[in-house]
Amino acid sequence: MNRVIHAPHSVQIAINTLFNKEFTTSNKGNFGILPLACSEIDVFNEEKRNLSLGGHVGFDSLPEQLVSKSVTQGFCFNILCVGETGIGKSTLMNTLFNTMFENEEASHYQNGVYLRPRTYDLQESSVRLKLTIVDTVGFGDQINKEDSYKPIVDYIDTQFENYLQEELKIKRSLFNYHDTRIHICLYFIAPTGHSLKSLDLVTMKKLDSKVNIIPIIAKADTISKSELHKFKIKIMSELVSNGVQIYQFPTDDETVSEINASMNAHLPFAVVGSLEEVKVGNKAVRARQYPWGVVQVENESHCDFVKLREMLIRVNMEDLREQTHARHYELYRRCKLEEMGFKDTDPDSEPFSLQETYEAKRKEFLGDLQRKEEEMRQMFVNKVKETEAELKEKERELHEKFEQLKRMHQEEKRKVEEKRRDLEEEMNAFNRKKVAAETLSLSQPVKKDKDKKK
Amino acid sequence: MSEAVLPDAVVSPAVGGLYGEKAGGPVLDFSYVGIDAILEQMRRKAMKQGFELNIMVVGQSGLGKSTLMNTLFKSKVSRKSVLATAQEKIPKTVEIKSISHDIEEKGVRMKLTVIDTPGFGDQINNENCWQPIMKFINDQYEAYLQEEININRKKRIPDSRVHCCIYFIPPTGHCLRPLDVEFMRRLSKVVNIVPVIAKADTLTLEERDFFKKKIREELRANGIDVYPQKEFDEDAEDRMINEKIREMIPFAVVGSDQEYQVNGRRLLGRKTKWGTIEVENIAHCEFAYLRDLLIRTHMQNIKDITSSIHYEMYRVRRLNENNTMVAHANGIPEHHLAAHEM
């Protein structure tokens, strides 16, 4: 969907003369010079304007310029290894990259599936590679494996999400961004010789729309040649019948289409990994030594390791990166944006409806926040009221008690007052009697004196 | 729910036989992994996809823009050559006219777009004659941005952004004119400008050197950063190469699409009564340097600077201005908006 630039009318005449035909415009009479999307130019000029050059111009060095720029920037490659514990993932990585990546053996007692990403800086001639190997620890060890695939899917989605966030930023630096999106998932199939396990099918089905999958048969030296052939056919037919999309090596470029097509027929690759060197003849080769013979890793009749290395690294690494970006990431992005509520603009709407929708969402979110705040405040107020009521109740009780006590006290006081009055009265009465008695005795002492005189 | 990811291990340098240059001669098979095969894969992919290049030429009429384009790409790429019946009237306003070609050399396909700006600097009153040009450049950025933020976007977004703008300076021999300064000042902020001295066969070598020095001084005095910009030099090696170029700009060029016999060879040149000017002879003019810079060595760099710096600046500006626009519409005070994250 291209934007039309409105150009002055004089240009319209020029356009018509340019292409030597009268151009009937279909959209509102305003014809503009489009920003030259290739398809648009072809629309009004059927023959492509192909020019032959009169001499050596020199832009054939463009691919070289592009490549040298990439060399200075360095490359990123991320591999995800999915397989049961002990199936040989770490050994295979060591063998593939001819490096002893440090890793401890995982225990079988994890209570869930963990993803363990490790990043290494490798260099070969002038090429610097930032390699990230993600290991699934604990895969297939649990008793209940229903949720085993979830951490893997979550990890892949998180990497896409991080890239999407970076891409949507206003100030972004995509060129310095350390790309952690998984470019290839190596799915290790246990060498039972029979068929895929249901865990394998379920996991691969969940992963096939998110990442490029290459299934490989691990520890292939435990299967004989004939069994292997049957096993491979069985696996491929099961994958097809369950609709699992594994990565197909691209056959559109003539230089590699042949080798890729032939390799497609050898999937899944039966690999053996080893870093130990064994002397065979007068050479030292990487191999596994058994009492009955030596399994050579790089011998194509022994296992498919060379094919895997060829396909994964030497022929299709760039294509894997491109598929991840152009197909899986775009799918994720589309789903995520649609889920967030964005729609593509229709020709009549304002530009950046992305922004407007975002603003609308933002308002919504702020509204939500405010509502939540209100709720919390309400709750708080209610709680406060409750406690206040309780406190008031208690206060009232206390008051009552106080009143009661006061009353009692008053009662007592009254009683005591009464008693005191009684007592006073008694005392008064007694005093009166005493006075009376005294006055009586005063008049008596004359008699008494008389008595005394006697 | 178990945690999905354990903390990242420390990045450790490679151990084993991968360091340094590959030894000459056949290397032992098992120490060669094949990582450097990715260069070949990239090259193949680039050849298959093809390249796009958009060049704009700006200058007064009669300075030899079309001829120079034809000389650069050794074929009739300019609009005038395609338009057989072109009317040579000078337009009333600046017009933007582009024409595309698919050219191929040694398996490398390129879609070349030459954008012409007839009418620039030709009027009596040239105020704001750069505006249509700036608008065009910004419109290309806009189109690219629109496609980029689509939900269903194309696999390869068609790149119509102007990668390089060649500005033709008339060979007065004195100094830059106000129009030149004004134009270059404004446009060096949005696009890579490569100034060239047109029709340099009217200047002697001493006049040319003096003129160039004057121009460089004026550019510096006005703060105009032309390609290769100083601030985008990545490392010491880059800087060294670019310094040499910066000492030579603006290139004094002569264009021609006629071939003449000189010393038994057929060369592109201009034949005059007093001699033949060979276009590709560096003793005569600096066309070869311009061609090498634009095409043979720095083409990818020009495109990179356009996409990673000029386009990003436009994008930041556009997204920010939309932020404030929508904010004002919603009555949200500006400082509430997140400055960086979308």
PDB file of all heavy atoms in Angstrom, chain A residues 81-86 89 107-108 110 112-114 135-142 145 147-152 187-188 199-200 203-204 207:
ATOM      1  N   CYS A  81      18.862 -26.583  21.593  1.00  0.00           N
ATOM      2  CA  CYS A  81      18.944 -28.045  21.573  1.00  0.00           C
ATOM      3  C   CYS A  81      17.865 -28.604  22.470  1.00  0.00           C
ATOM      4  O   CYS A  81      17.879 -28.368  23.683  1.00  0.00           O
ATOM      5  CB  CYS A  81      20.302 -28.519  22.088  1.00  0.00           C
ATOM      6  SG  CYS A  81      21.638 -28.066  21.022  1.00  0.00           S
ATOM      7  N   VAL A  82      16.925 -29.337  21.886  1.00  0.00           N
ATOM      8  CA  VAL A  82      15.859 -29.922  22.680  1.00  0.00           C
ATOM      9  C   VAL A  82      16.029 -31.425  22.669  1.00  0.00           C
ATOM     10  O   VAL A  82      16.100 -32.036  21.613  1.00  0.00           O
ATOM     11  CB  VAL A  82      14.474 -29.564  22.089  1.00  0.00           C
ATOM     12  CG1 VAL A  82      13.382 -30.167  22.947  1.00  0.00           C
ATOM     13  CG2 VAL A  82      14.319 -28.067  22.003  1.00  0.00           C
ATOM     14  N   GLY A  83      16.080 -32.008  23.849  1.00  0.00           N
ATOM     15  CA  GLY A  83      16.215 -33.455  23.912  1.00  0.00           C
ATOM     16  C   GLY A  83      16.319 -33.898  25.348  1.00  0.00           C
ATOM     17  O   GLY A  83      16.576 -33.095  26.245  1.00  0.00           O
ATOM     18  N   GLU A  84      16.132 -35.180  25.557  1.00  0.00           N
ATOM     19  CA  GLU A  84      16.180 -35.692  26.915  1.00  0.00           C
ATOM     20  C   GLU A  84      17.563 -35.523  27.513  1.00  0.00           C
ATOM     21  O   GLU A  84      18.555 -35.370  26.808  1.00  0.00           O
ATOM     22  CB  GLU A  84      15.859 -37.185  26.915  1.00  0.00           C
ATOM     23  CG  GLU A  84      14.487 -37.495  26.367  1.00  0.00           C
ATOM     24  CD  GLU A  84      14.345 -38.975  26.083  1.00  0.00           C
ATOM     25  OE1 GLU A  84      15.335 -39.707  26.243  1.00  0.00           O
ATOM     26  OE2 GLU A  84      13.257 -39.364  25.690  1.00  0.00           O
ATOM     27  N   THR A  85      17.592 -35.602  28.830  1.00  0.00           N
ATOM     28  CA  THR A  85      18.876 -35.496  29.508  1.00  0.00           C
ATOM     29  C   THR A  85      19.724 -36.708  29.155  1.00  0.00           C
ATOM     30  O   THR A  85      19.256 -37.839  29.187  1.00  0.00           O
ATOM     31  CB  THR A  85      18.635 -35.470  31.031  1.00  0.00           C
ATOM     32  OG1 THR A  85      17.579 -34.557  31.281  1.00  0.00           O
ATOM     33  CG2 THR A  85      19.875 -35.000  31.753  1.00  0.00           C
ATOM     34  N   GLY A  86      20.993 -36.448  28.814  1.00  0.00           N
ATOM     35  CA  GLY A  86      21.893 -37.548  28.544  1.00  0.00           C
ATOM     36  C   GLY A  86      21.842 -38.057  27.118  1.00  0.00           C
ATOM     37  O   GLY A  86      22.448 -39.070  26.795  1.00  0.00           O
ATOM     38  N   LYS A  89      23.382 -33.885  23.700  1.00  0.00           N
ATOM     39  CA  LYS A  89      23.283 -32.546  23.119  1.00  0.00           C
ATOM     40  C   LYS A  89      24.602 -31.804  23.250  1.00  0.00           C
ATOM     41  O   LYS A  89      25.125 -31.263  22.276  1.00  0.00           O
ATOM     42  CB  LYS A  89      22.178 -31.750  23.818  1.00  0.00           C
ATOM     43  CG  LYS A  89      20.835 -32.460  23.848  1.00  0.00           C
ATOM     44  CD  LYS A  89      19.765 -31.551  24.356  1.00  0.00           C
ATOM     45  CE  LYS A  89      19.771 -31.435  25.855  1.00  0.00           C
ATOM     46  NZ  LYS A  89      19.275 -32.659  26.506  1.00  0.00           N
ATOM     47  N   SER A 107      21.533 -32.890  36.093  1.00  0.00           N
ATOM     48  CA  SER A 107      20.977 -33.973  36.898  1.00  0.00           C
ATOM     49  C   SER A 107      19.622 -34.375  36.330  1.00  0.00           C
ATOM     50  O   SER A 107      18.993 -33.623  35.595  1.00  0.00           O
ATOM     51  CB  SER A 107      20.807 -33.524  38.348  1.00  0.00           C
ATOM     52  OG  SER A 107      19.503 -33.052  38.556  1.00  0.00           O
ATOM     53  N   HIS A 108      19.199 -35.583  36.683  1.00  0.00           N
ATOM     54  CA  HIS A 108      17.913 -36.037  36.167  1.00  0.00           C
ATOM     55  C   HIS A 108      16.759 -35.655  37.073  1.00  0.00           C
ATOM     56  O   HIS A 108      15.633 -36.036  36.823  1.00  0.00           O
ATOM     57  CB  HIS A 108      17.946 -37.568  36.016  1.00  0.00           C
ATOM     58  CG  HIS A 108      18.740 -38.023  34.851  1.00  0.00           C
ATOM     59  ND1 HIS A 108      18.184 -38.411  33.665  1.00  0.00           N
ATOM     60  CD2 HIS A 108      20.085 -38.129  34.685  1.00  0.00           C
ATOM     61  CE1 HIS A 108      19.141 -38.774  32.823  1.00  0.00           C
ATOM     62  NE2 HIS A 108      20.305 -38.607  33.401  1.00  0.00           N
ATOM     63  N   GLN A 110      15.541 -32.622  38.022  1.00  0.00           N
ATOM     64  CA  GLN A 110      14.936 -31.300  37.966  1.00  0.00           C
ATOM     65  C   GLN A 110      13.436 -31.467  38.059  1.00  0.00           C
ATOM     66  O   GLN A 110      12.874 -32.391  37.487  1.00  0.00           O
ATOM     67  CB  GLN A 110      15.247 -30.619  36.626  1.00  0.00           C
ATOM     68  CG  GLN A 110      16.703 -30.624  36.237  1.00  0.00           C
ATOM     69  CD  GLN A 110      17.465 -29.547  36.942  1.00  0.00           C
ATOM     70  OE1 GLN A 110      16.886 -28.768  37.675  1.00  0.00           O
ATOM     71  NE2 GLN A 110      18.769 -29.516  36.738  1.00  0.00           N
ATOM     72  N   GLY A 112      11.346 -29.445  36.741  1.00  0.00           N
ATOM     73  CA  GLY A 112      10.684 -28.783  35.623  1.00  0.00           C
ATOM     74  C   GLY A 112      11.709 -28.652  34.513  1.00  0.00           C
ATOM     75  O   GLY A 112      12.856 -29.056  34.653  1.00  0.00           O
ATOM     76  N   VAL A 113      11.281 -28.117  33.411  1.00  0.00           N
ATOM     77  CA  VAL A 113      12.218 -27.919  32.306  1.00  0.00           C
ATOM     78  C   VAL A 113      12.798 -26.518  32.407  1.00  0.00           C
ATOM     79  O   VAL A 113      12.071 -25.541  32.504  1.00  0.00           O
ATOM     80  CB  VAL A 113      11.499 -28.099  30.952  1.00  0.00           C
ATOM     81  CG1 VAL A 113      12.469 -27.846  29.818  1.00  0.00           C
ATOM     82  CG2 VAL A 113      10.909 -29.484  30.853  1.00  0.00           C
ATOM     83  N   TYR A 114      14.127 -26.422  32.399  1.00  0.00           N
ATOM     84  CA  TYR A 114      14.776 -25.122  32.435  1.00  0.00           C
ATOM     85  C   TYR A 114      15.499 -24.907  31.122  1.00  0.00           C
ATOM     86  O   TYR A 114      16.032 -25.847  30.548  1.00  0.00           O
ATOM     87  CB  TYR A 114      15.830 -25.061  33.540  1.00  0.00           C
ATOM     88  CG  TYR A 114      15.269 -25.212  34.916  1.00  0.00           C
ATOM     89  CD1 TYR A 114      15.073 -26.459  35.478  1.00  0.00           C
ATOM     90  CD2 TYR A 114      14.951 -24.095  35.671  1.00  0.00           C
ATOM     91  CE1 TYR A 114      14.565 -26.597  36.741  1.00  0.00           C
ATOM     92  CE2 TYR A 114      14.444 -24.231  36.947  1.00  0.00           C
ATOM     93  CZ  TYR A 114      14.249 -25.478  37.470  1.00  0.00           C
ATOM     94  OH  TYR A 114      13.744 -25.613  38.734  1.00  0.00           O
ATOM     95  N   ASP A 135      20.264 -24.795  26.029  1.00  0.00           N
ATOM     96  CA  ASP A 135      20.073 -26.187  26.375  1.00  0.00           C
ATOM     97  C   ASP A 135      18.762 -26.346  27.134  1.00  0.00           C
ATOM     98  O   ASP A 135      18.400 -25.481  27.927  1.00  0.00           O
ATOM     99  CB  ASP A 135      21.242 -26.603  27.273  1.00  0.00           C
ATOM    100  CG  ASP A 135      21.591 -28.045  27.093  1.00  0.00           C
ATOM    101  OD1 ASP A 135      20.830 -28.739  26.384  1.00  0.00           O
ATOM    102  OD2 ASP A 135      22.594 -28.470  27.651  1.00  0.00           O
ATOM    103  N   THR A 136      18.052 -27.444  26.891  1.00  0.00           N
ATOM    104  CA  THR A 136      16.857 -27.690  27.715  1.00  0.00           C
ATOM    105  C   THR A 136      17.255 -28.681  28.796  1.00  0.00           C
ATOM    106  O   THR A 136      17.532 -29.842  28.532  1.00  0.00           O
ATOM    107  CB  THR A 136      15.726 -28.293  26.871  1.00  0.00           C
ATOM    108  OG1 THR A 136      16.260 -29.367  26.107  1.00  0.00           O
ATOM    109  CG2 THR A 136      15.139 -27.270  25.955  1.00  0.00           C
ATOM    110  N   VAL A 137      17.261 -28.183  30.012  1.00  0.00           N
ATOM    111  CA  VAL A 137      17.674 -29.026  31.120  1.00  0.00           C
ATOM    112  C   VAL A 137      16.440 -29.640  31.746  1.00  0.00           C
ATOM    113  O   VAL A 137      15.491 -28.952  32.062  1.00  0.00           O
ATOM    114  CB  VAL A 137      18.416 -28.170  32.167  1.00  0.00           C
ATOM    115  CG1 VAL A 137      18.800 -29.014  33.356  1.00  0.00           C
ATOM    116  CG2 VAL A 137      19.632 -27.546  31.542  1.00  0.00           C
ATOM    117  N   GLY A 138      16.464 -30.922  31.886  1.00  0.00           N
ATOM    118  CA  GLY A 138      15.346 -31.557  32.559  1.00  0.00           C
ATOM    119  C   GLY A 138      14.230 -31.981  31.636  1.00  0.00           C
ATOM    120  O   GLY A 138      13.191 -32.436  32.085  1.00  0.00           O
ATOM    121  N   PHE A 139      14.464 -31.856  30.343  1.00  0.00           N
ATOM    122  CA  PHE A 139      13.417 -32.234  29.395  1.00  0.00           C
ATOM    123  C   PHE A 139      13.240 -33.735  29.418  1.00  0.00           C
ATOM    124  O   PHE A 139      14.196 -34.475  29.287  1.00  0.00           O
ATOM    125  CB  PHE A 139      13.816 -31.753  27.997  1.00  0.00           C
ATOM    126  CG  PHE A 139      12.740 -31.903  26.973  1.00  0.00           C
ATOM    127  CD1 PHE A 139      11.670 -31.031  26.940  1.00  0.00           C
ATOM    128  CD2 PHE A 139      12.799 -32.924  26.042  1.00  0.00           C
ATOM    129  CE1 PHE A 139      10.678 -31.168  25.990  1.00  0.00           C
ATOM    130  CE2 PHE A 139      11.816 -33.063  25.091  1.00  0.00           C
ATOM    131  CZ  PHE A 139      10.749 -32.191  25.056  1.00  0.00           C
ATOM    132  N   GLY A 140      12.019 -34.197  29.574  1.00  0.00           N
ATOM    133  CA  GLY A 140      11.758 -35.634  29.519  1.00  0.00           C
ATOM    134  C   GLY A 140      12.045 -36.388  30.799  1.00  0.00           C
ATOM    135  O   GLY A 140      11.972 -37.613  30.816  1.00  0.00           O
ATOM    136  N   ASP A 141      12.378 -35.648  31.863  1.00  0.00           N
ATOM    137  CA  ASP A 141      12.719 -36.347  33.097  1.00  0.00           C
ATOM    138  C   ASP A 141      11.563 -36.448  34.070  1.00  0.00           C
ATOM    139  O   ASP A 141      11.578 -37.251  34.986  1.00  0.00           O
ATOM    140  CB  ASP A 141      13.870 -35.619  33.810  1.00  0.00           C
ATOM    141  CG  ASP A 141      15.209 -36.046  33.255  1.00  0.00           C
ATOM    142  OD1 ASP A 141      15.285 -37.167  32.719  1.00  0.00           O
ATOM    143  OD2 ASP A 141      16.164 -35.270  33.359  1.00  0.00           O
ATOM    144  N   GLN A 142      10.583 -35.578  33.889  1.00  0.00           N
ATOM    145  CA  GLN A 142       9.516 -35.568  34.883  1.00  0.00           C
ATOM    146  C   GLN A 142       8.613 -36.765  34.692  1.00  0.00           C
ATOM    147  O   GLN A 142       8.569 -37.388  33.644  1.00  0.00           O
ATOM    148  CB  GLN A 142       8.681 -34.291  34.763  1.00  0.00           C
ATOM    149  CG  GLN A 142       9.419 -33.034  35.128  1.00  0.00           C
ATOM    150  CD  GLN A 142      10.311 -32.592  33.988  1.00  0.00           C
ATOM    151  OE1 GLN A 142       9.944 -32.690  32.840  1.00  0.00           O
ATOM    152  NE2 GLN A 142      11.494 -32.150  34.333  1.00  0.00           N
ATOM    153  N   LYS A 145       4.794 -35.130  31.978  1.00  0.00           N
ATOM    154  CA  LYS A 145       5.480 -34.277  31.009  1.00  0.00           C
ATOM    155  C   LYS A 145       4.535 -33.399  30.218  1.00  0.00           C
ATOM    156  O   LYS A 145       4.879 -32.915  29.153  1.00  0.00           O
ATOM    157  CB  LYS A 145       6.269 -35.152  30.024  1.00  0.00           C
ATOM    158  CG  LYS A 145       7.336 -35.949  30.719  1.00  0.00           C
ATOM    159  CD  LYS A 145       8.095 -36.806  29.756  1.00  0.00           C
ATOM    160  CE  LYS A 145       8.065 -38.208  30.291  1.00  0.00           C
ATOM    161  NZ  LYS A 145       8.765 -39.188  29.597  1.00  0.00           N
ATOM    162  N   ASP A 147       3.476 -30.414  30.606  1.00  0.00           N
ATOM    163  CA  ASP A 147       3.841 -29.013  30.419  1.00  0.00           C
ATOM    164  C   ASP A 147       5.277 -28.837  29.984  1.00  0.00           C
ATOM    165  O   ASP A 147       5.794 -27.743  30.050  1.00  0.00           O
ATOM    166  CB  ASP A 147       3.633 -28.246  31.721  1.00  0.00           C
ATOM    167  CG  ASP A 147       2.160 -28.109  32.027  1.00  0.00           C
ATOM    168  OD1 ASP A 147       1.365 -28.209  31.066  1.00  0.00           O
ATOM    169  OD2 ASP A 147       1.828 -27.907  33.201  1.00  0.00           O
ATOM    170  N   SER A 148       5.908 -29.920  29.534  1.00  0.00           N
ATOM    171  CA  SER A 148       7.337 -29.808  29.231  1.00  0.00           C
ATOM    172  C   SER A 148       7.627 -28.816  28.140  1.00  0.00           C
ATOM    173  O   SER A 148       8.654 -28.167  28.138  1.00  0.00           O
ATOM    174  CB  SER A 148       7.892 -31.175  28.827  1.00  0.00           C
ATOM    175  OG  SER A 148       7.981 -32.000  29.940  1.00  0.00           O
ATOM    176  N   TYR A 149       6.712 -28.735  27.160  1.00  0.00           N
ATOM    177  CA  TYR A 149       7.024 -27.866  26.021  1.00  0.00           C
ATOM    178  C   TYR A 149       6.880 -26.400  26.376  1.00  0.00           C
ATOM    179  O   TYR A 149       7.430 -25.546  25.707  1.00  0.00           O
ATOM    180  CB  TYR A 149       6.117 -28.195  24.841  1.00  0.00           C
ATOM    181  CG  TYR A 149       4.685 -27.815  25.076  1.00  0.00           C
ATOM    182  CD1 TYR A 149       4.234 -26.541  24.757  1.00  0.00           C
ATOM    183  CD2 TYR A 149       3.795 -28.717  25.636  1.00  0.00           C
ATOM    184  CE1 TYR A 149       2.925 -26.177  24.991  1.00  0.00           C
ATOM    185  CE2 TYR A 149       2.486 -28.357  25.867  1.00  0.00           C
ATOM    186  CZ  TYR A 149       2.056 -27.095  25.550  1.00  0.00           C
ATOM    187  OH  TYR A 149       0.770 -26.736  25.780  1.00  0.00           O
ATOM    188  N   LYS A 150       6.138 -26.092  27.440  1.00  0.00           N
ATOM    189  CA  LYS A 150       5.813 -24.685  27.705  1.00  0.00           C
ATOM    190  C   LYS A 150       7.035 -23.793  27.928  1.00  0.00           C
ATOM    191  O   LYS A 150       7.114 -22.723  27.325  1.00  0.00           O
ATOM    192  CB  LYS A 150       4.868 -24.570  28.896  1.00  0.00           C
ATOM    193  CG  LYS A 150       3.480 -25.010  28.598  1.00  0.00           C
ATOM    194  CD  LYS A 150       2.431 -24.221  29.373  1.00  0.00           C
ATOM    195  CE  LYS A 150       1.044 -24.785  29.108  1.00  0.00           C
ATOM    196  NZ  LYS A 150       0.552 -25.644  30.182  1.00  0.00           N
ATOM    197  N   PRO A 151       7.994 -24.174  28.788  1.00  0.00           N
ATOM    198  CA  PRO A 151       9.131 -23.269  28.966  1.00  0.00           C
ATOM    199  C   PRO A 151       9.884 -23.013  27.671  1.00  0.00           C
ATOM    200  O   PRO A 151      10.390 -21.913  27.449  1.00  0.00           O
ATOM    201  CB  PRO A 151      10.017 -24.010  29.977  1.00  0.00           C
ATOM    202  CG  PRO A 151       9.125 -24.960  30.657  1.00  0.00           C
ATOM    203  CD  PRO A 151       8.095 -25.359  29.661  1.00  0.00           C
ATOM    204  N   ILE A 152       9.909 -24.009  26.792  1.00  0.00           N
ATOM    205  CA  ILE A 152      10.623 -23.813  25.531  1.00  0.00           C
ATOM    206  C   ILE A 152       9.895 -22.768  24.690  1.00  0.00           C
ATOM    207  O   ILE A 152      10.502 -21.820  24.176  1.00  0.00           O
ATOM    208  CB  ILE A 152      10.728 -25.139  24.758  1.00  0.00           C
ATOM    209  CG1 ILE A 152      11.360 -26.212  25.633  1.00  0.00           C
ATOM    210  CG2 ILE A 152      11.523 -24.938  23.490  1.00  0.00           C
ATOM    211  CD1 ILE A 152      11.443 -27.546  24.975  1.00  0.00           C
ATOM    212  N   TYR A 187      16.244 -30.949  17.229  1.00  0.00           N
ATOM    213  CA  TYR A 187      15.433 -31.811  18.083  1.00  0.00           C
ATOM    214  C   TYR A 187      16.047 -33.201  18.116  1.00  0.00           C
ATOM    215  O   TYR A 187      16.142 -33.872  17.089  1.00  0.00           O
ATOM    216  CB  TYR A 187      13.991 -31.883  17.573  1.00  0.00           C
ATOM    217  CG  TYR A 187      13.083 -32.416  18.625  1.00  0.00           C
ATOM    218  CD1 TYR A 187      12.434 -31.566  19.508  1.00  0.00           C
ATOM    219  CD2 TYR A 187      12.924 -33.790  18.798  1.00  0.00           C
ATOM    220  CE1 TYR A 187      11.638 -32.057  20.511  1.00  0.00           C
ATOM    221  CE2 TYR A 187      12.137 -34.283  19.803  1.00  0.00           C
ATOM    222  CZ  TYR A 187      11.489 -33.422  20.659  1.00  0.00           C
ATOM    223  OH  TYR A 187      10.709 -33.915  21.674  1.00  0.00           O
ATOM    224  N   PHE A 188      16.453 -33.618  19.299  1.00  0.00           N
ATOM    225  CA  PHE A 188      17.157 -34.892  19.428  1.00  0.00           C
ATOM    226  C   PHE A 188      16.146 -36.009  19.667  1.00  0.00           C
ATOM    227  O   PHE A 188      15.404 -35.987  20.655  1.00  0.00           O
ATOM    228  CB  PHE A 188      18.130 -34.830  20.612  1.00  0.00           C
ATOM    229  CG  PHE A 188      19.330 -33.966  20.341  1.00  0.00           C
ATOM    230  CD1 PHE A 188      19.212 -32.591  20.268  1.00  0.00           C
ATOM    231  CD2 PHE A 188      20.572 -34.541  20.147  1.00  0.00           C
ATOM    232  CE1 PHE A 188      20.325 -31.793  20.012  1.00  0.00           C
ATOM    233  CE2 PHE A 188      21.690 -33.752  19.908  1.00  0.00           C
ATOM    234  CZ  PHE A 188      21.560 -32.385  19.839  1.00  0.00           C
ATOM    235  N   LEU A 199       5.783 -37.465  23.334  1.00  0.00           N
ATOM    236  CA  LEU A 199       6.326 -36.190  23.798  1.00  0.00           C
ATOM    237  C   LEU A 199       7.008 -35.463  22.649  1.00  0.00           C
ATOM    238  O   LEU A 199       6.855 -34.260  22.471  1.00  0.00           O
ATOM    239  CB  LEU A 199       7.334 -36.437  24.935  1.00  0.00           C
ATOM    240  CG  LEU A 199       8.114 -35.209  25.400  1.00  0.00           C
ATOM    241  CD1 LEU A 199       7.191 -34.208  26.047  1.00  0.00           C
ATOM    242  CD2 LEU A 199       9.220 -35.601  26.364  1.00  0.00           C
ATOM    243  N   ASP A 200       7.752 -36.221  21.824  1.00  0.00           N
ATOM    244  CA  ASP A 200       8.432 -35.608  20.684  1.00  0.00           C
ATOM    245  C   ASP A 200       7.427 -34.967  19.739  1.00  0.00           C
ATOM    246  O   ASP A 200       7.596 -33.840  19.300  1.00  0.00           O
ATOM    247  CB  ASP A 200       9.224 -36.675  19.905  1.00  0.00           C
ATOM    248  CG  ASP A 200      10.356 -37.248  20.729  1.00  0.00           C
ATOM    249  OD1 ASP A 200      10.763 -36.579  21.687  1.00  0.00           O
ATOM    250  OD2 ASP A 200      10.824 -38.346  20.407  1.00  0.00           O
ATOM    251  N   THR A 203       5.805 -31.836  21.285  1.00  0.00           N
ATOM    252  CA  THR A 203       6.722 -30.693  21.371  1.00  0.00           C
ATOM    253  C   THR A 203       7.013 -30.116  19.997  1.00  0.00           C
ATOM    254  O   THR A 203       6.961 -28.909  19.791  1.00  0.00           O
ATOM    255  CB  THR A 203       8.038 -31.129  22.039  1.00  0.00           C
ATOM    256  OG1 THR A 203       7.733 -31.853  23.206  1.00  0.00           O
ATOM    257  CG2 THR A 203       8.879 -29.929  22.385  1.00  0.00           C
ATOM    258  N   MET A 204       7.293 -31.012  19.045  1.00  0.00           N
ATOM    259  CA  MET A 204       7.621 -30.492  17.708  1.00  0.00           C
ATOM    260  C   MET A 204       6.442 -29.776  17.101  1.00  0.00           C
ATOM    261  O   MET A 204       6.598 -28.776  16.395  1.00  0.00           O
ATOM    262  CB  MET A 204       8.094 -31.634  16.807  1.00  0.00           C
ATOM    263  CG  MET A 204       9.558 -31.941  17.016  1.00  0.00           C
ATOM    264  SD  MET A 204      10.300 -32.748  15.614  1.00  0.00           S
ATOM    265  CE  MET A 204      10.079 -34.440  16.079  1.00  0.00           C
ATOM    266  N   LEU A 207       6.342 -26.348  18.352  1.00  0.00           N
ATOM    267  CA  LEU A 207       7.467 -25.477  17.989  1.00  0.00           C
ATOM    268  C   LEU A 207       7.537 -25.163  16.508  1.00  0.00           C
ATOM    269  O   LEU A 207       8.229 -24.242  16.109  1.00  0.00           O
ATOM    270  CB  LEU A 207       8.788 -26.145  18.415  1.00  0.00           C
ATOM    271  CG  LEU A 207       9.045 -26.284  19.904  1.00  0.00           C
ATOM    272  CD1 LEU A 207      10.361 -27.009  20.125  1.00  0.00           C
ATOM    273  CD2 LEU A 207       9.129 -24.920  20.548  1.00  0.00           C
TER     274      LEU A 207
END
